[in-house]
Short mmCIF file of all heavy atoms in Angstrom, two decimals:
data_model
loop_
_atom_site.label_atom_id
_atom_site.label_comp_id
_atom_site.label_asym_id
_atom_site.label_seq_id
_atom_site.Cartn_x
_atom_site.Cartn_y
_atom_site.Cartn_z
N MET A 365 116.37 100.36 113.85
CA MET A 365 114.97 100.63 113.72
C MET A 365 114.21 99.57 114.49
O MET A 365 114.72 98.48 114.72
CB MET A 365 114.58 100.69 112.25
CG MET A 365 114.55 99.38 111.50
SD MET A 365 113.84 99.54 109.87
CE MET A 365 112.16 99.87 110.27
N PRO A 366 112.97 99.83 114.86
CA PRO A 366 112.17 98.81 115.57
C PRO A 366 111.68 97.73 114.62
O PRO A 366 111.73 97.88 113.41
CB PRO A 366 111.00 99.62 116.13
CG PRO A 366 110.89 100.80 115.24
CD PRO A 366 112.29 101.11 114.75
N ARG A 367 111.16 96.66 115.20
CA ARG A 367 110.58 95.57 114.41
C ARG A 367 109.45 96.15 113.56
O ARG A 367 108.67 96.96 114.04
CB ARG A 367 110.04 94.48 115.33
CG ARG A 367 109.43 93.30 114.59
CD ARG A 367 108.94 92.22 115.54
NE ARG A 367 107.85 92.65 116.40
CZ ARG A 367 106.57 92.66 116.05
NH1 ARG A 367 106.21 92.26 114.85
NH2 ARG A 367 105.66 93.04 116.90
N PRO A 368 109.36 95.76 112.29
CA PRO A 368 108.29 96.27 111.44
C PRO A 368 106.91 95.97 112.03
O PRO A 368 106.65 94.85 112.49
CB PRO A 368 108.48 95.53 110.12
CG PRO A 368 109.91 95.11 110.12
CD PRO A 368 110.25 94.86 111.57
N ALA A 369 106.04 96.95 112.02
CA ALA A 369 104.70 96.79 112.59
C ALA A 369 103.91 95.69 111.88
O ALA A 369 103.09 95.01 112.51
CB ALA A 369 103.95 98.12 112.51
N ALA A 370 104.15 95.50 110.60
CA ALA A 370 103.41 94.50 109.83
C ALA A 370 103.95 93.08 110.03
O ALA A 370 103.35 92.12 109.56
CB ALA A 370 103.46 94.85 108.34
N MET A 371 105.05 92.94 110.75
CA MET A 371 105.67 91.62 110.91
C MET A 371 105.14 90.93 112.16
O MET A 371 105.31 91.42 113.28
CB MET A 371 107.18 91.76 111.01
CG MET A 371 107.91 90.43 110.98
SD MET A 371 109.70 90.61 110.88
CE MET A 371 110.12 90.66 112.60
N ALA A 372 104.49 89.79 111.96
CA ALA A 372 103.98 88.99 113.07
C ALA A 372 105.06 88.01 113.53
O ALA A 372 105.92 87.61 112.72
CB ALA A 372 102.74 88.23 112.63
N PRO A 373 105.04 87.62 114.79
CA PRO A 373 106.03 86.66 115.29
C PRO A 373 106.04 85.34 114.52
O PRO A 373 107.05 84.64 114.50
CB PRO A 373 105.63 86.44 116.75
CG PRO A 373 104.85 87.65 117.11
CD PRO A 373 104.16 88.09 115.85
N THR A 374 104.94 85.00 113.87
CA THR A 374 104.85 83.73 113.15
C THR A 374 105.18 83.85 111.67
O THR A 374 105.16 82.84 110.96
CB THR A 374 103.43 83.16 113.29
OG1 THR A 374 102.49 84.13 112.82
CG2 THR A 374 103.11 82.80 114.73
N ASP A 375 105.49 85.06 111.19
CA ASP A 375 105.82 85.24 109.77
C ASP A 375 107.09 84.49 109.40
O ASP A 375 108.06 84.46 110.17
CB ASP A 375 106.00 86.72 109.42
CG ASP A 375 104.69 87.47 109.29
OD1 ASP A 375 103.66 86.80 109.08
OD2 ASP A 375 104.70 88.70 109.40
N GLN A 376 107.09 83.90 108.22
CA GLN A 376 108.26 83.23 107.70
C GLN A 376 109.16 84.25 107.01
O GLN A 376 108.67 85.12 106.30
CB GLN A 376 107.85 82.15 106.69
CG GLN A 376 107.05 81.02 107.29
CD GLN A 376 107.91 80.16 108.20
OE1 GLN A 376 109.04 79.85 107.89
NE2 GLN A 376 107.35 79.78 109.33
N LEU A 377 110.46 84.12 107.22
CA LEU A 377 111.43 84.99 106.57
C LEU A 377 112.06 84.26 105.40
O LEU A 377 112.22 83.04 105.44
CB LEU A 377 112.53 85.41 107.54
CG LEU A 377 112.09 86.13 108.81
CD1 LEU A 377 113.30 86.39 109.70
CD2 LEU A 377 111.37 87.42 108.48
N SER A 378 112.42 84.99 104.38
CA SER A 378 113.20 84.44 103.28
C SER A 378 114.66 84.62 103.64
O SER A 378 115.07 85.73 104.00
CB SER A 378 112.90 85.18 101.97
OG SER A 378 111.57 85.01 101.61
N THR A 379 115.44 83.56 103.58
CA THR A 379 116.86 83.66 103.92
C THR A 379 117.67 83.74 102.64
O THR A 379 117.55 82.88 101.76
CB THR A 379 117.31 82.45 104.76
OG1 THR A 379 116.51 82.41 105.94
CG2 THR A 379 118.77 82.59 105.15
N ILE A 380 118.48 84.79 102.55
CA ILE A 380 119.36 84.99 101.40
C ILE A 380 120.77 85.22 101.93
O ILE A 380 121.01 86.17 102.68
CB ILE A 380 118.91 86.19 100.54
CG1 ILE A 380 117.48 85.96 100.03
CG2 ILE A 380 119.87 86.42 99.38
CD1 ILE A 380 116.88 87.14 99.30
N ASP A 381 121.68 84.32 101.59
CA ASP A 381 123.08 84.39 102.03
C ASP A 381 123.21 84.58 103.54
O ASP A 381 124.01 85.38 104.02
CB ASP A 381 123.83 85.49 101.28
CG ASP A 381 123.99 85.16 99.80
OD1 ASP A 381 123.98 83.97 99.44
OD2 ASP A 381 124.14 86.09 99.00
N GLY A 382 122.39 83.87 104.29
CA GLY A 382 122.50 83.87 105.75
C GLY A 382 121.78 85.00 106.46
O GLY A 382 121.88 85.12 107.68
N VAL A 383 121.04 85.84 105.74
CA VAL A 383 120.28 86.92 106.35
C VAL A 383 118.80 86.65 106.11
O VAL A 383 118.38 86.38 104.99
CB VAL A 383 120.68 88.30 105.77
CG1 VAL A 383 119.78 89.40 106.31
CG2 VAL A 383 122.13 88.61 106.07
N GLY A 384 118.00 86.74 107.18
CA GLY A 384 116.56 86.59 107.07
C GLY A 384 115.93 87.90 106.65
O GLY A 384 116.25 88.96 107.20
N TRP A 385 115.04 87.84 105.67
CA TRP A 385 114.38 89.04 105.14
C TRP A 385 112.88 88.93 105.29
O TRP A 385 112.28 87.92 104.93
CB TRP A 385 114.72 89.24 103.66
CG TRP A 385 116.14 89.63 103.43
CD1 TRP A 385 117.18 88.80 103.12
CD2 TRP A 385 116.69 90.94 103.50
NE1 TRP A 385 118.34 89.52 102.99
CE2 TRP A 385 118.07 90.86 103.23
CE3 TRP A 385 116.15 92.20 103.78
CZ2 TRP A 385 118.91 91.96 103.21
CZ3 TRP A 385 116.98 93.30 103.76
CH2 TRP A 385 118.34 93.17 103.47
N PHE A 386 112.28 89.99 105.79
CA PHE A 386 110.83 90.12 105.86
C PHE A 386 110.38 90.98 104.70
O PHE A 386 110.85 92.12 104.54
CB PHE A 386 110.41 90.76 107.19
CG PHE A 386 108.97 91.14 107.25
CD1 PHE A 386 107.99 90.16 107.32
CD2 PHE A 386 108.58 92.47 107.22
CE1 PHE A 386 106.64 90.51 107.37
CE2 PHE A 386 107.25 92.83 107.28
CZ PHE A 386 106.28 91.85 107.35
N ALA A 387 109.48 90.46 103.87
CA ALA A 387 108.92 91.22 102.75
C ALA A 387 107.61 91.83 103.23
O ALA A 387 106.67 91.12 103.57
CB ALA A 387 108.68 90.30 101.56
N ASP A 388 107.57 93.15 103.29
CA ASP A 388 106.38 93.83 103.79
C ASP A 388 105.21 93.61 102.83
O ASP A 388 105.30 93.95 101.65
CB ASP A 388 106.66 95.33 103.94
CG ASP A 388 105.61 96.04 104.75
OD1 ASP A 388 104.40 95.86 104.45
OD2 ASP A 388 105.97 96.76 105.69
N PRO A 389 104.11 93.03 103.32
CA PRO A 389 102.98 92.75 102.43
C PRO A 389 102.25 94.01 101.94
O PRO A 389 101.51 93.95 100.97
CB PRO A 389 102.05 91.88 103.29
CG PRO A 389 102.40 92.25 104.69
CD PRO A 389 103.85 92.61 104.68
N ARG A 390 102.50 95.14 102.58
CA ARG A 390 101.83 96.38 102.19
C ARG A 390 102.59 97.14 101.12
O ARG A 390 102.03 98.03 100.48
CB ARG A 390 101.66 97.29 103.41
CG ARG A 390 100.84 96.64 104.53
CD ARG A 390 100.90 97.46 105.79
NE ARG A 390 102.30 97.53 106.22
CZ ARG A 390 102.75 98.30 107.19
NH1 ARG A 390 101.93 99.09 107.83
NH2 ARG A 390 104.01 98.29 107.52
N ALA A 391 103.87 96.83 100.95
CA ALA A 391 104.71 97.54 99.97
C ALA A 391 105.66 96.54 99.34
O ALA A 391 106.59 96.08 100.00
CB ALA A 391 105.49 98.66 100.65
N ASP A 392 105.43 96.21 98.07
CA ASP A 392 106.22 95.14 97.44
C ASP A 392 107.67 95.50 97.17
O ASP A 392 108.44 94.67 96.69
CB ASP A 392 105.54 94.66 96.16
CG ASP A 392 105.42 95.74 95.10
OD1 ASP A 392 105.72 96.91 95.37
OD2 ASP A 392 105.00 95.39 93.97
N THR A 393 108.09 96.71 97.51
CA THR A 393 109.49 97.10 97.34
C THR A 393 110.21 97.28 98.68
O THR A 393 111.37 97.67 98.70
CB THR A 393 109.60 98.41 96.54
OG1 THR A 393 108.91 99.44 97.25
CG2 THR A 393 109.02 98.26 95.14
N LEU A 394 109.52 96.98 99.79
CA LEU A 394 110.08 97.20 101.12
C LEU A 394 110.45 95.88 101.78
O LEU A 394 109.61 94.97 101.90
CB LEU A 394 109.05 97.94 101.99
CG LEU A 394 109.48 98.29 103.41
CD1 LEU A 394 110.68 99.23 103.40
CD2 LEU A 394 108.32 98.94 104.15
N PHE A 395 111.71 95.77 102.18
CA PHE A 395 112.22 94.56 102.81
C PHE A 395 112.95 94.95 104.09
O PHE A 395 113.57 96.01 104.16
CB PHE A 395 113.19 93.83 101.87
CG PHE A 395 112.55 93.40 100.59
CD1 PHE A 395 112.46 94.26 99.51
CD2 PHE A 395 111.99 92.14 100.47
CE1 PHE A 395 111.85 93.89 98.33
CE2 PHE A 395 111.38 91.75 99.29
CZ PHE A 395 111.31 92.62 98.22
N THR A 396 112.92 94.07 105.07
CA THR A 396 113.62 94.32 106.33
C THR A 396 114.49 93.12 106.66
O THR A 396 114.00 91.99 106.73
CB THR A 396 112.63 94.57 107.48
OG1 THR A 396 111.78 95.66 107.13
CG2 THR A 396 113.37 94.91 108.77
N ALA A 397 115.78 93.38 106.87
CA ALA A 397 116.70 92.34 107.33
C ALA A 397 116.45 92.17 108.82
O ALA A 397 116.35 93.15 109.57
CB ALA A 397 118.14 92.74 107.08
N VAL A 398 116.35 90.92 109.25
CA VAL A 398 116.10 90.61 110.65
C VAL A 398 117.33 89.89 111.18
O VAL A 398 117.66 88.80 110.73
CB VAL A 398 114.84 89.72 110.80
CG1 VAL A 398 114.59 89.38 112.25
CG2 VAL A 398 113.63 90.42 110.17
N THR A 399 118.04 90.53 112.11
CA THR A 399 119.24 89.93 112.70
C THR A 399 119.06 89.86 114.21
O THR A 399 118.13 90.46 114.76
CB THR A 399 120.51 90.75 112.38
OG1 THR A 399 120.49 91.94 113.16
CG2 THR A 399 120.60 91.11 110.90
N GLY A 400 119.96 89.16 114.87
CA GLY A 400 119.91 89.09 116.33
C GLY A 400 120.22 90.42 116.98
O GLY A 400 119.91 90.63 118.16
N SER A 401 120.80 91.35 116.23
CA SER A 401 121.20 92.65 116.78
C SER A 401 120.27 93.79 116.40
O SER A 401 120.41 94.88 116.91
CB SER A 401 122.61 93.00 116.29
OG SER A 401 123.53 92.01 116.65
N GLY A 402 119.37 93.56 115.46
CA GLY A 402 118.49 94.64 115.04
C GLY A 402 117.89 94.40 113.68
O GLY A 402 117.94 93.30 113.13
N TYR A 403 117.34 95.46 113.13
CA TYR A 403 116.65 95.41 111.84
C TYR A 403 117.23 96.45 110.89
O TYR A 403 117.67 97.51 111.32
CB TYR A 403 115.16 95.72 112.04
CG TYR A 403 114.47 94.78 113.00
CD1 TYR A 403 114.35 95.09 114.34
CD2 TYR A 403 113.95 93.58 112.55
CE1 TYR A 403 113.72 94.23 115.22
CE2 TYR A 403 113.33 92.70 113.43
CZ TYR A 403 113.21 93.04 114.77
OH TYR A 403 112.59 92.18 115.64
N VAL A 404 117.22 96.12 109.60
CA VAL A 404 117.67 97.06 108.56
C VAL A 404 116.59 97.09 107.49
O VAL A 404 116.28 96.05 106.90
CB VAL A 404 119.01 96.63 107.93
CG1 VAL A 404 119.40 97.59 106.81
CG2 VAL A 404 120.10 96.54 108.98
N GLU A 405 116.02 98.26 107.26
CA GLU A 405 114.96 98.41 106.26
C GLU A 405 115.55 98.86 104.94
O GLU A 405 116.39 99.76 104.90
CB GLU A 405 113.94 99.43 106.76
CG GLU A 405 112.71 99.54 105.90
CD GLU A 405 111.70 100.48 106.50
OE1 GLU A 405 110.89 100.02 107.32
OE2 GLU A 405 111.75 101.69 106.18
N VAL A 406 115.10 98.24 103.85
CA VAL A 406 115.61 98.53 102.52
C VAL A 406 114.43 98.68 101.55
O VAL A 406 113.53 97.84 101.54
CB VAL A 406 116.53 97.39 102.01
CG1 VAL A 406 117.01 97.65 100.60
CG2 VAL A 406 117.69 97.17 102.95
N THR A 407 114.45 99.73 100.76
CA THR A 407 113.48 99.90 99.69
C THR A 407 114.22 99.68 98.38
O THR A 407 115.26 100.30 98.14
CB THR A 407 112.85 101.31 99.71
OG1 THR A 407 112.20 101.49 100.96
CG2 THR A 407 111.84 101.46 98.58
N ILE A 408 113.71 98.79 97.55
CA ILE A 408 114.37 98.44 96.30
C ILE A 408 113.53 98.94 95.12
O ILE A 408 112.33 98.68 95.05
CB ILE A 408 114.56 96.91 96.20
CG1 ILE A 408 115.44 96.44 97.36
CG2 ILE A 408 115.17 96.52 94.87
CD1 ILE A 408 115.61 94.96 97.45
N SER A 409 114.17 99.61 94.22
CA SER A 409 113.50 100.12 93.02
C SER A 409 112.91 98.95 92.23
O SER A 409 113.49 97.86 92.18
CB SER A 409 114.52 100.87 92.15
OG SER A 409 114.02 101.07 90.86
N ARG A 410 111.81 99.19 91.60
CA ARG A 410 111.19 98.15 90.77
C ARG A 410 112.07 97.79 89.56
O ARG A 410 111.84 96.79 88.90
CB ARG A 410 109.81 98.60 90.31
CG ARG A 410 108.78 98.53 91.40
CD ARG A 410 107.38 98.84 90.89
NE ARG A 410 106.36 98.53 91.86
CZ ARG A 410 106.03 99.31 92.88
NH1 ARG A 410 106.65 100.44 93.07
NH2 ARG A 410 105.08 98.95 93.72
N GLU A 411 113.05 98.62 89.28
CA GLU A 411 113.96 98.36 88.17
C GLU A 411 114.99 97.27 88.51
O GLU A 411 115.69 96.80 87.63
CB GLU A 411 114.69 99.63 87.78
CG GLU A 411 113.77 100.72 87.27
CD GLU A 411 114.50 102.04 87.04
OE1 GLU A 411 115.74 102.06 87.08
OE2 GLU A 411 113.81 103.04 86.82
N HIS A 412 115.08 96.89 89.79
CA HIS A 412 116.07 95.91 90.24
C HIS A 412 115.38 94.65 90.74
O HIS A 412 114.23 94.69 91.16
CB HIS A 412 116.92 96.51 91.35
CG HIS A 412 117.74 97.67 90.90
ND1 HIS A 412 117.28 98.96 90.96
CD2 HIS A 412 118.96 97.74 90.35
CE1 HIS A 412 118.20 99.78 90.48
NE2 HIS A 412 119.23 99.06 90.09
N GLN A 413 116.12 93.55 90.70
CA GLN A 413 115.60 92.28 91.19
C GLN A 413 115.92 92.18 92.68
O GLN A 413 117.09 92.20 93.07
CB GLN A 413 116.22 91.12 90.44
CG GLN A 413 115.81 91.06 88.99
CD GLN A 413 116.40 89.87 88.29
OE1 GLN A 413 117.21 89.14 88.82
NE2 GLN A 413 115.98 89.66 87.06
N PRO A 414 114.89 92.07 93.54
CA PRO A 414 115.13 92.05 94.98
C PRO A 414 116.12 90.99 95.44
O PRO A 414 116.98 91.27 96.27
CB PRO A 414 113.74 91.80 95.56
CG PRO A 414 112.81 92.34 94.54
CD PRO A 414 113.47 92.05 93.22
N GLY A 415 116.03 89.78 94.90
CA GLY A 415 116.92 88.72 95.34
C GLY A 415 118.39 89.06 95.14
O GLY A 415 119.24 88.75 95.98
N ILE A 416 118.71 89.71 94.04
CA ILE A 416 120.09 90.09 93.76
C ILE A 416 120.55 91.18 94.72
O ILE A 416 121.62 91.10 95.33
CB ILE A 416 120.25 90.54 92.30
CG1 ILE A 416 120.03 89.34 91.37
CG2 ILE A 416 121.61 91.19 92.06
CD1 ILE A 416 119.96 89.68 89.91
N VAL A 417 119.72 92.21 94.89
CA VAL A 417 120.09 93.33 95.77
C VAL A 417 120.23 92.84 97.22
O VAL A 417 121.21 93.18 97.90
CB VAL A 417 119.05 94.47 95.68
CG1 VAL A 417 119.36 95.57 96.69
CG2 VAL A 417 119.01 95.04 94.27
N LEU A 418 119.28 92.06 97.69
CA LEU A 418 119.34 91.57 99.07
C LEU A 418 120.55 90.66 99.27
O LEU A 418 121.19 90.69 100.33
CB LEU A 418 118.04 90.85 99.43
CG LEU A 418 116.77 91.72 99.34
CD1 LEU A 418 115.54 90.89 99.67
CD2 LEU A 418 116.87 92.95 100.21
N GLY A 419 120.89 89.88 98.28
CA GLY A 419 122.10 89.05 98.36
C GLY A 419 123.36 89.88 98.47
O GLY A 419 124.28 89.55 99.22
N GLU A 420 123.42 90.98 97.72
CA GLU A 420 124.59 91.86 97.78
C GLU A 420 124.69 92.58 99.12
O GLU A 420 125.78 92.94 99.56
CB GLU A 420 124.53 92.88 96.65
CG GLU A 420 124.74 92.26 95.28
CD GLU A 420 124.54 93.23 94.13
OE1 GLU A 420 124.07 94.37 94.36
OE2 GLU A 420 124.85 92.85 92.99
N LEU A 421 123.56 92.78 99.79
CA LEU A 421 123.57 93.46 101.09
C LEU A 421 123.85 92.53 102.26
O LEU A 421 124.13 92.98 103.37
CB LEU A 421 122.23 94.16 101.31
CG LEU A 421 121.93 95.33 100.37
CD1 LEU A 421 120.49 95.81 100.59
CD2 LEU A 421 122.91 96.46 100.61
N ALA A 422 123.77 91.23 102.04
CA ALA A 422 123.90 90.27 103.14
C ALA A 422 125.23 90.39 103.87
O ALA A 422 125.24 90.46 105.12
CB ALA A 422 123.70 88.85 102.61
N ALA A 423 126.33 90.39 103.18
CA ALA A 423 127.65 90.44 103.85
C ALA A 423 127.82 91.71 104.68
O ALA A 423 128.23 91.62 105.85
CB ALA A 423 128.78 90.28 102.84
N PRO A 424 127.52 92.91 104.13
CA PRO A 424 127.67 94.11 104.96
C PRO A 424 126.74 94.12 106.17
O PRO A 424 127.13 94.59 107.25
CB PRO A 424 127.34 95.27 104.03
CG PRO A 424 127.37 94.73 102.64
CD PRO A 424 127.21 93.25 102.75
N ILE A 425 125.54 93.58 106.02
CA ILE A 425 124.62 93.54 107.16
C ILE A 425 125.13 92.59 108.23
O ILE A 425 125.12 92.91 109.42
CB ILE A 425 123.20 93.17 106.69
CG1 ILE A 425 122.60 94.36 105.94
CG2 ILE A 425 122.31 92.75 107.86
CD1 ILE A 425 121.29 94.08 105.27
N LYS A 426 125.61 91.40 107.83
CA LYS A 426 126.15 90.45 108.80
C LYS A 426 127.36 91.03 109.52
O LYS A 426 127.56 90.79 110.71
CB LYS A 426 126.51 89.13 108.13
CG LYS A 426 125.28 88.34 107.72
CD LYS A 426 125.61 86.94 107.26
CE LYS A 426 126.34 86.92 105.95
NZ LYS A 426 126.50 85.57 105.39
N LYS A 427 128.17 91.81 108.81
CA LYS A 427 129.35 92.42 109.43
C LYS A 427 128.95 93.52 110.42
O LYS A 427 129.50 93.61 111.50
CB LYS A 427 130.26 93.01 108.35
CG LYS A 427 131.55 93.57 108.89
CD LYS A 427 132.45 94.05 107.77
CE LYS A 427 133.73 94.61 108.36
NZ LYS A 427 134.63 95.08 107.31
N ALA A 428 127.99 94.35 110.03
CA ALA A 428 127.58 95.48 110.87
C ALA A 428 126.71 95.04 112.06
O ALA A 428 126.78 95.64 113.14
CB ALA A 428 126.83 96.51 110.05
N LEU A 429 125.90 94.01 111.84
CA LEU A 429 124.97 93.55 112.88
C LEU A 429 125.10 92.05 113.08
O LEU A 429 124.20 91.28 112.74
CB LEU A 429 123.53 93.89 112.49
CG LEU A 429 123.18 95.35 112.37
CD1 LEU A 429 121.78 95.52 111.76
CD2 LEU A 429 123.25 96.04 113.71
N PRO A 430 126.22 91.61 113.63
CA PRO A 430 126.37 90.16 113.85
C PRO A 430 125.29 89.68 114.82
O PRO A 430 124.89 90.40 115.72
CB PRO A 430 127.76 90.02 114.43
CG PRO A 430 128.10 91.35 114.97
CD PRO A 430 127.31 92.36 114.19
N GLY A 431 124.82 88.50 114.57
CA GLY A 431 123.74 88.15 115.42
C GLY A 431 123.56 86.78 115.81
O GLY A 431 122.76 86.34 116.45
#
């Protein structure tokens, strides 16, 4: 997917288990993994804790999109 439209070049990413995450300010359940190879968009249910879910996704994302 392309770089999120809401993400500015100066935005700070949260790093969880070696993956940088952009939290979309317009949607509190939308996160984008930012890697050297591309982007992965994830929507997390409000029933789940984002930090836990994003941590569980880190290894598969690093494997699929090494960067």
Side-chain angles (χ1 to χ4, degrees):
M365 73 171 291
R367 181 178 64 83
M371 188 172 90
T374 56
D375 283 340
Q376 295 291 318
L377 302 177
S378 297
T379 302
I380 300 173
D381 292 335
V383 174
W385 290 96
F386 170 70
D388 194 309
R390 301 170 299 171
D392 62 353
T393 60
L394 182 62
F395 299 86
T396 303
V398 179
T399 73
S401 303
Y403 302 94
V404 177
E405 187 176 273
V406 177
T407 300
I408 299 175
S409 165
R410 285 186 169 80
E411 297 174 10
H412 296 90
Q413 293 182 353
I416 293 171
V417 175
L418 300 178
E420 290 174 351
L421 293 173
I425 287 172
K426 289 190 291 188
K427 184 176 180 180
L429 296 172

